[in-house]
Amino acid sequence: MGSGGEKKQLFPVSMVSVRIIKANIITSKDSLSASDCYVTLHLPTASPEKFRTQTIKNSNKPVWNETFYFRVQTEIKNILQLEVCDADPVTKDDVQFVILFDLAKVRPGVTDLELFSIKPEKEERPPNYESLEVEFKLAETSGPLEQLISNGVLVARELSILDVKVKKEENEKLLKAKKNVVLTMRESYEGTQKTSEDVDSFRFHCIKSWGPVLKAKLQSVSREEKNDSHHLLILPLKLLPVGQQVKVALPMEEGGTLELYLKVIDCPQNLDVRLGYELCASEQDFLHKRKKMVAGALNKLFHLRRELLEHEVPVMGVMATGGGVRAMTALYGHLLGLQKLNLLDCVSYITTASGSTWTMTDLYRNIDWSQKSLEERIKVVRSQMLKSKYDIISIERLKYYHKELVERVERGHLPSFTALWALVQEAFLHEKPNYSTLSEQRQALNQGQNPLPIYTAINVKDKNVSTFDFREWVEFSPYEVGFQKYGANIRAEDFDSEFFMGKLVKRIPESRICYLEGIWTNIFCPNLLDGLYWASSPEEFWDRWVKDVTKSEEDEGYVTVYKPPSSGTGKLCEIFNDILTDRPLKGDSHNFLRRLDFDKGYLQQKEFSEWRDTVLDAFPSKLTPVEKSLCLIDIGYFINNSGQPLLKPERNVDILIALDYGINSGFQQTEMMAKYCEVQGIPFPKVDITEEDRKNPKECYVFSDEDNPKAPILLYFPLVNATFKEYKAPGVKRIPSEMNGGEVNLSDDSPYKTMHLTYTEEDFDKLLSLCTYNILCSKDHILQAFQCAIQKKQNIWLGGLNISSA
């Protein structure tokens, strides 16, 4: 299946048999006795169950000769995990070694015999020492074909829906007798469901080709009374007619039956997750409208002889870093500067991270904010900044937070510390709760009247894996929330609803914008390992980061065999790693990629490879689709840079204005971005900084790559107080009484440190004026970048016309 957009196709389902034959020289951790070995088998693309052989006691060469069968779809990546375990009656069983085997190696109609062995490193041992012998056979089944939907990386499989109903009066009788009905379908999203006073109807979503089975039983409602009754009904779904309600009798232990009403429905094949790397239709429509506005603005700026055609209009993106209230204030100043130069109407995208997101979520409450003077809005923000914040943790506020969080969980959202932090943050930033949502920001885009805002976060593992080993860029726009890496997106209003195999299975009301701000700006979400790396020298951090990025090249081998840590030292290392990598104050969101499978050739797809930068990418069983929830954190805990969405080739950004709000960071963020692009093969200009610039940075730097037309022109604005010390406006020197206004403290004892949440009126005004000035005095650089971008696009599309011929 090819990559790019979503494609549907029919494929046969196959059956693979796995015969666990024997093991050789299994060393027991117990020196007093031989091993008591068994083998577990787990193929998550075929079944949620983990199967196991019998235990062969007191043998270092156990023989099983047990066969297990799996229904598999060969068009997806099927990785079988085998674990050789030593049973221990007292402590947890020891895992001797683990095998990850790609079933793509098994040839149809051929018996494949594999000997999995851990190769000893220095000492000579027999070739079958500590090995497992397994036989594989693969054959197509005679059943119906399965329809797959894929973008070349992720694959959605056909679902079946089972509706089950118990008559209300019958359910009431059972409850009075302190009993209820327990329904289980292990192959389904829902798993197990039970009747209660409020629930007598159920829906199960299950993967059709897995051959799902419904199991039902009656059990005691009382927690004190143990009820180990077996399932009284076991019913494969394939025995039920599709689209017809069927009455089934569930036997009761005291005699009689309970009637269950079942109906199987074929799930519609249209997905609620958009699988594709292209821009969504809404964003494409926005760009069409926005380019008309940009063309009009450029016509006024340059007095063109004719208005630019759509394909001649440059796409400009503004990229802001994080930095708490400093970033929020500075972004207001930079946007005000662009507005004063009549350049704000030339911007198509604005991306933000951490504190700079507060500026955008505030502005987009007004549907035509960029068409009005920003100075009025800034007055309101200044007023809020100067107010006392002591009441945000008052008794009344705490009661409000508790009530809000309880109601949020009742609506179906996952409980998390991030939600509490979001409410505290909202109380700090706003006089009253902000009831707007991300999807409502579309109203500010429907005529192309404002730039498209994109908010950024990264998805990480909540424990056991560091940010440096696993992180995935996630972007939020008013249209969609998506993973660039997987080419998977959902509508903004569906974020944090429950999904299974690309289908929306439980709609949850859209969160207020403050809860998303809690994700984008969670200063409490790093683990200890993140802190240790950031606390190290820049060179140490840089070396570690680049090493992790470059080592992501996948191993094309079919088999991975490894020995888990099991010695005392290994266990201690595991415990220490847990402490370092755990995120106790994290946030959880429902995973909209849940249970999507991987295409058999996903590692070879350019779009996936282009954004791949974690060490787990070659192991689909460890990637995000297997997780129940997402762990989304502030992007600043890996790289304080929101520019990744603007590097998406489909957005074709021509000019990138990078606004860096780091204090004394010395070009670090733009150099990291350039290095990231170099390693990933993303077109980006080289960033060369002289020693003089590091000592005495200027307001604006321009970087371009004339040899690569796909690389954007980069205008980099560090947070510096250069000529503003002497000039209150471009070309207008300060008089002696005005010199204090140019003293903006950006040193180590700055009032603008990230953890400072309130400013004096003087400090606020100085930072705002500085950033506005830095844009104003860089007007020529920005205009020249537009001229170069227009000329480049005309050279490509119109065969060499220049700006004067327009």
Side-chain angles (χ1 to χ4, degrees), residues 65-89:
N65 273 323
E66 292 186 45
T67 303
F68 300 84
Y69 297 91
F70 300 94
R71 292 171 59 86
V72 297
Q73 174 52 254
T74 57
E75 293 299 314
I76 66 176
K77 197 76 167 175
N78 295 292
I79 305 295
L80 175 66
Q81 179 167 316
L82 302 170
E83 293 184 355
V84 179
C85 305
D86 184 6
D88 193 314

mmCIF file of all heavy atoms in Angstrom, residues 65-89:
data_model
loop_
_atom_site.group_PDB
_atom_site.id
_atom_site.type_symbol
_atom_site.label_atom_id
_atom_site.label_comp_id
_atom_site.label_asym_id
_atom_site.label_seq_id
_atom_site.Cartn_x
_atom_site.Cartn_y
_atom_site.Cartn_z
ATOM 1 N N ASN A 65 6.673 -29.133 22.352
ATOM 2 C CA ASN A 65 5.931 -29.575 21.161
ATOM 3 C C ASN A 65 4.457 -29.147 21.227
ATOM 4 O O ASN A 65 3.549 -29.926 20.959
ATOM 5 C CB ASN A 65 6.026 -31.097 20.988
ATOM 6 C CG ASN A 65 7.271 -31.495 20.207
ATOM 7 O OD1 ASN A 65 7.671 -30.802 19.264
ATOM 8 N ND2 ASN A 65 7.901 -32.584 20.618
ATOM 9 N N GLU A 66 4.234 -27.890 21.578
ATOM 10 C CA GLU A 66 2.875 -27.337 21.647
ATOM 11 C C GLU A 66 2.695 -26.343 20.498
ATOM 12 O O GLU A 66 3.582 -25.545 20.202
ATOM 13 C CB GLU A 66 2.643 -26.637 22.985
ATOM 14 C CG GLU A 66 2.619 -27.581 24.176
ATOM 15 C CD GLU A 66 2.247 -26.872 25.463
ATOM 16 O OE1 GLU A 66 1.275 -26.072 25.447
ATOM 17 O OE2 GLU A 66 2.936 -27.087 26.484
ATOM 18 N N THR A 67 1.512 -26.386 19.878
ATOM 19 C CA THR A 67 1.232 -25.539 18.712
ATOM 20 C C THR A 67 0.139 -24.529 19.039
ATOM 21 O O THR A 67 -0.875 -24.867 19.658
ATOM 22 C CB THR A 67 0.807 -26.392 17.512
ATOM 23 O OG1 THR A 67 1.851 -27.352 17.223
ATOM 24 C CG2 THR A 67 0.584 -25.526 16.281
ATOM 25 N N PHE A 68 0.337 -23.299 18.580
ATOM 26 C CA PHE A 68 -0.623 -22.207 18.789
ATOM 27 C C PHE A 68 -0.956 -21.609 17.429
ATOM 28 O O PHE A 68 -0.108 -21.562 16.528
ATOM 29 C CB PHE A 68 -0.027 -21.131 19.706
ATOM 30 C CG PHE A 68 0.348 -21.646 21.067
ATOM 31 C CD1 PHE A 68 1.588 -22.268 21.265
ATOM 32 C CD2 PHE A 68 -0.521 -21.529 22.135
ATOM 33 C CE1 PHE A 68 1.940 -22.753 22.506
ATOM 34 C CE2 PHE A 68 -0.175 -22.010 23.388
ATOM 35 C CZ PHE A 68 1.056 -22.622 23.578
ATOM 36 N N TYR A 69 -2.200 -21.162 17.292
ATOM 37 C CA TYR A 69 -2.671 -20.659 16.006
ATOM 38 C C TYR A 69 -3.117 -19.191 16.126
ATOM 39 O O TYR A 69 -3.770 -18.813 17.103
ATOM 40 C CB TYR A 69 -3.840 -21.508 15.493
ATOM 41 C CG TYR A 69 -3.451 -22.942 15.218
ATOM 42 C CD1 TYR A 69 -3.569 -23.914 16.218
ATOM 43 C CD2 TYR A 69 -2.958 -23.329 13.971
ATOM 44 C CE1 TYR A 69 -3.199 -25.234 15.980
ATOM 45 C CE2 TYR A 69 -2.599 -24.649 13.721
ATOM 46 C CZ TYR A 69 -2.716 -25.593 14.729
ATOM 47 O OH TYR A 69 -2.344 -26.907 14.488
ATOM 48 N N PHE A 70 -2.768 -18.410 15.112
ATOM 49 C CA PHE A 70 -3.151 -16.998 15.074
ATOM 50 C C PHE A 70 -3.681 -16.651 13.690
ATOM 51 O O PHE A 70 -3.080 -17.022 12.681
ATOM 52 C CB PHE A 70 -1.945 -16.091 15.375
ATOM 53 C CG PHE A 70 -1.320 -16.305 16.727
ATOM 54 C CD1 PHE A 70 -0.246 -17.167 16.879
ATOM 55 C CD2 PHE A 70 -1.802 -15.628 17.841
ATOM 56 C CE1 PHE A 70 0.345 -17.362 18.116
ATOM 57 C CE2 PHE A 70 -1.210 -15.810 19.083
ATOM 58 C CZ PHE A 70 -0.138 -16.680 19.229
ATOM 59 N N ARG A 71 -4.800 -15.930 13.671
ATOM 60 C CA ARG A 71 -5.298 -15.371 12.413
ATOM 61 C C ARG A 71 -4.580 -14.041 12.189
ATOM 62 O O ARG A 71 -4.652 -13.138 13.033
ATOM 63 C CB ARG A 71 -6.808 -15.142 12.482
ATOM 64 C CG ARG A 71 -7.619 -16.439 12.536
ATOM 65 C CD ARG A 71 -9.091 -16.140 12.829
ATOM 66 N NE ARG A 71 -9.683 -15.278 11.822
ATOM 67 C CZ ARG A 71 -10.225 -15.701 10.683
ATOM 68 N NH1 ARG A 71 -10.250 -16.995 10.408
ATOM 69 N NH2 ARG A 71 -10.749 -14.854 9.824
ATOM 70 N N VAL A 72 -3.875 -13.915 11.070
ATOM 71 C CA VAL A 72 -3.052 -12.722 10.850
ATOM 72 C C VAL A 72 -3.391 -12.068 9.515
ATOM 73 O O VAL A 72 -3.836 -12.720 8.574
ATOM 74 C CB VAL A 72 -1.544 -13.065 10.886
ATOM 75 C CG1 VAL A 72 -1.138 -13.580 12.248
ATOM 76 C CG2 VAL A 72 -1.169 -14.049 9.785
ATOM 77 N N GLN A 73 -3.169 -10.778 9.475
ATOM 78 C CA GLN A 73 -3.278 -10.013 8.242
ATOM 79 C C GLN A 73 -1.848 -9.694 7.811
ATOM 80 O O GLN A 73 -1.131 -8.938 8.461
ATOM 81 C CB GLN A 73 -4.069 -8.715 8.491
ATOM 82 C CG GLN A 73 -4.134 -7.783 7.322
ATOM 83 C CD GLN A 73 -4.612 -8.454 6.054
ATOM 84 O OE1 GLN A 73 -3.799 -8.717 5.140
ATOM 85 N NE2 GLN A 73 -5.910 -8.757 5.987
ATOM 86 N N THR A 74 -1.419 -10.285 6.695
ATOM 87 C CA THR A 74 -0.011 -10.180 6.304
ATOM 88 C C THR A 74 0.346 -8.803 5.742
ATOM 89 O O THR A 74 1.521 -8.518 5.537
ATOM 90 C CB THR A 74 0.337 -11.251 5.261
ATOM 91 O OG1 THR A 74 -0.537 -11.123 4.132
ATOM 92 C CG2 THR A 74 0.205 -12.643 5.861
ATOM 93 N N GLU A 75 -0.637 -7.952 5.499
ATOM 94 C CA GLU A 75 -0.343 -6.612 5.003
ATOM 95 C C GLU A 75 0.062 -5.657 6.126
ATOM 96 O O GLU A 75 0.460 -4.523 5.857
ATOM 97 C CB GLU A 75 -1.555 -6.044 4.255
ATOM 98 C CG GLU A 75 -1.868 -6.781 2.967
ATOM 99 C CD GLU A 75 -0.719 -6.710 1.961
ATOM 100 O OE1 GLU A 75 -0.180 -5.597 1.761
ATOM 101 O OE2 GLU A 75 -0.370 -7.757 1.388
ATOM 102 N N ILE A 76 -0.065 -6.107 7.372
ATOM 103 C CA ILE A 76 0.355 -5.273 8.484
ATOM 104 C C ILE A 76 1.608 -5.857 9.120
ATOM 105 O O ILE A 76 2.005 -6.993 8.827
ATOM 106 C CB ILE A 76 -0.762 -5.114 9.541
ATOM 107 C CG1 ILE A 76 -1.070 -6.449 10.215
ATOM 108 C CG2 ILE A 76 -2.011 -4.519 8.931
ATOM 109 C CD1 ILE A 76 -2.090 -6.341 11.332
ATOM 110 N N LYS A 77 2.238 -5.094 9.965
ATOM 111 C CA LYS A 77 3.463 -5.527 10.637
ATOM 112 C C LYS A 77 3.076 -6.410 11.816
ATOM 113 O O LYS A 77 2.501 -5.940 12.800
ATOM 114 C CB LYS A 77 4.242 -4.300 11.125
ATOM 115 C CG LYS A 77 5.695 -4.582 11.475
ATOM 116 C CD LYS A 77 6.540 -4.738 10.233
ATOM 117 C CE LYS A 77 8.023 -4.698 10.529
ATOM 118 N NZ LYS A 77 8.840 -4.962 9.335
ATOM 119 N N ASN A 78 3.407 -7.692 11.725
ATOM 120 C CA ASN A 78 3.084 -8.659 12.778
ATOM 121 C C ASN A 78 4.363 -9.055 13.510
ATOM 122 O O ASN A 78 5.186 -9.799 12.968
ATOM 123 C CB ASN A 78 2.418 -9.907 12.194
ATOM 124 C CG ASN A 78 1.064 -9.608 11.572
ATOM 125 O OD1 ASN A 78 0.120 -9.271 12.249
ATOM 126 N ND2 ASN A 78 0.990 -9.719 10.250
ATOM 127 N N ILE A 79 4.533 -8.571 14.706
ATOM 128 C CA ILE A 79 5.710 -8.895 15.511
ATOM 129 C C ILE A 79 5.287 -9.810 16.659
ATOM 130 O O ILE A 79 4.551 -9.399 17.565
ATOM 131 C CB ILE A 79 6.384 -7.635 16.076
ATOM 132 C CG1 ILE A 79 6.729 -6.657 14.948
ATOM 133 C CG2 ILE A 79 7.624 -7.996 16.878
ATOM 134 C CD1 ILE A 79 7.765 -7.163 13.980
ATOM 135 N N LEU A 80 5.738 -11.056 16.610
ATOM 136 C CA LEU A 80 5.429 -12.030 17.662
ATOM 137 C C LEU A 80 6.459 -11.897 18.778
ATOM 138 O O LEU A 80 7.665 -11.897 18.535
ATOM 139 C CB LEU A 80 5.463 -13.447 17.087
ATOM 140 C CG LEU A 80 5.277 -14.590 18.096
ATOM 141 C CD1 LEU A 80 3.867 -14.572 18.696
ATOM 142 C CD2 LEU A 80 5.556 -15.939 17.425
ATOM 143 N N GLN A 81 5.963 -11.782 20.009
ATOM 144 C CA GLN A 81 6.869 -11.716 21.157
ATOM 145 C C GLN A 81 6.822 -13.042 21.911
ATOM 146 O O GLN A 81 5.770 -13.484 22.355
ATOM 147 C CB GLN A 81 6.488 -10.576 22.098
ATOM 148 C CG GLN A 81 7.392 -10.495 23.330
ATOM 149 C CD GLN A 81 7.230 -9.204 24.107
ATOM 150 O OE1 GLN A 81 7.169 -8.127 23.532
ATOM 151 N NE2 GLN A 81 7.154 -9.311 25.430
ATOM 152 N N LEU A 82 7.982 -13.664 22.017
ATOM 153 C CA LEU A 82 8.136 -14.909 22.764
ATOM 154 C C LEU A 82 8.992 -14.627 23.992
ATOM 155 O O LEU A 82 10.028 -13.965 23.889
ATOM 156 C CB LEU A 82 8.811 -15.981 21.911
ATOM 157 C CG LEU A 82 8.128 -16.360 20.594
ATOM 158 C CD1 LEU A 82 9.051 -17.247 19.767
ATOM 159 C CD2 LEU A 82 6.808 -17.065 20.855
ATOM 160 N N GLU A 83 8.578 -15.133 25.142
ATOM 161 C CA GLU A 83 9.367 -14.993 26.360
ATOM 162 C C GLU A 83 9.606 -16.365 26.961
ATOM 163 O O GLU A 83 8.651 -17.135 27.161
ATOM 164 C CB GLU A 83 8.658 -14.108 27.384
ATOM 165 C CG GLU A 83 8.537 -12.658 26.979
ATOM 166 C CD GLU A 83 7.911 -11.800 28.067
ATOM 167 O OE1 GLU A 83 7.482 -12.362 29.107
ATOM 168 O OE2 GLU A 83 7.829 -10.568 27.888
ATOM 169 N N VAL A 84 10.847 -16.677 27.196
ATOM 170 C CA VAL A 84 11.198 -17.920 27.890
ATOM 171 C C VAL A 84 11.315 -17.577 29.375
ATOM 172 O O VAL A 84 12.143 -16.736 29.758
ATOM 173 C CB VAL A 84 12.514 -18.507 27.361
ATOM 174 C CG1 VAL A 84 12.861 -19.790 28.114
ATOM 175 C CG2 VAL A 84 12.408 -18.787 25.863
ATOM 176 N N CYS A 85 10.475 -18.216 30.188
ATOM 177 C CA CYS A 85 10.374 -17.852 31.607
ATOM 178 C C CYS A 85 10.697 -19.042 32.502
ATOM 179 O O CYS A 85 10.458 -20.202 32.146
ATOM 180 C CB CYS A 85 8.972 -17.349 31.933
ATOM 181 S SG CYS A 85 8.416 -15.973 30.889
ATOM 182 N N ASP A 86 11.209 -18.707 33.669
ATOM 183 C CA ASP A 86 11.510 -19.708 34.698
ATOM 184 C C ASP A 86 10.528 -19.488 35.843
ATOM 185 O O ASP A 86 10.543 -18.439 36.503
ATOM 186 C CB ASP A 86 12.955 -19.537 35.183
ATOM 187 C CG ASP A 86 13.360 -20.615 36.191
ATOM 188 O OD1 ASP A 86 12.557 -21.550 36.412
ATOM 189 O OD2 ASP A 86 14.461 -20.517 36.752
ATOM 190 N N ALA A 87 9.626 -20.460 36.057
ATOM 191 C CA ALA A 87 8.600 -20.322 37.087
ATOM 192 C C ALA A 87 9.231 -20.326 38.474
ATOM 193 O O ALA A 87 10.163 -21.086 38.751
ATOM 194 C CB ALA A 87 7.575 -21.462 36.976
ATOM 195 N N ASP A 88 8.718 -19.438 39.332
ATOM 196 C CA ASP A 88 9.204 -19.361 40.710
ATOM 197 C C ASP A 88 8.002 -19.308 41.629
ATOM 198 O O ASP A 88 7.168 -18.404 41.518
ATOM 199 C CB ASP A 88 10.068 -18.110 40.891
ATOM 200 C CG ASP A 88 10.858 -18.142 42.197
ATOM 201 O OD1 ASP A 88 10.268 -18.476 43.232
ATOM 202 O OD2 ASP A 88 12.061 -17.827 42.160
ATOM 203 N N PRO A 89 7.849 -20.298 42.534
ATOM 204 C CA PRO A 89 6.659 -20.349 43.376
ATOM 205 C C PRO A 89 6.612 -19.245 44.437
ATOM 206 O O PRO A 89 5.558 -18.992 45.014
ATOM 207 C CB PRO A 89 6.763 -21.736 44.034
ATOM 208 C CG PRO A 89 8.227 -22.042 44.024
ATOM 209 C CD PRO A 89 8.763 -21.414 42.784
#
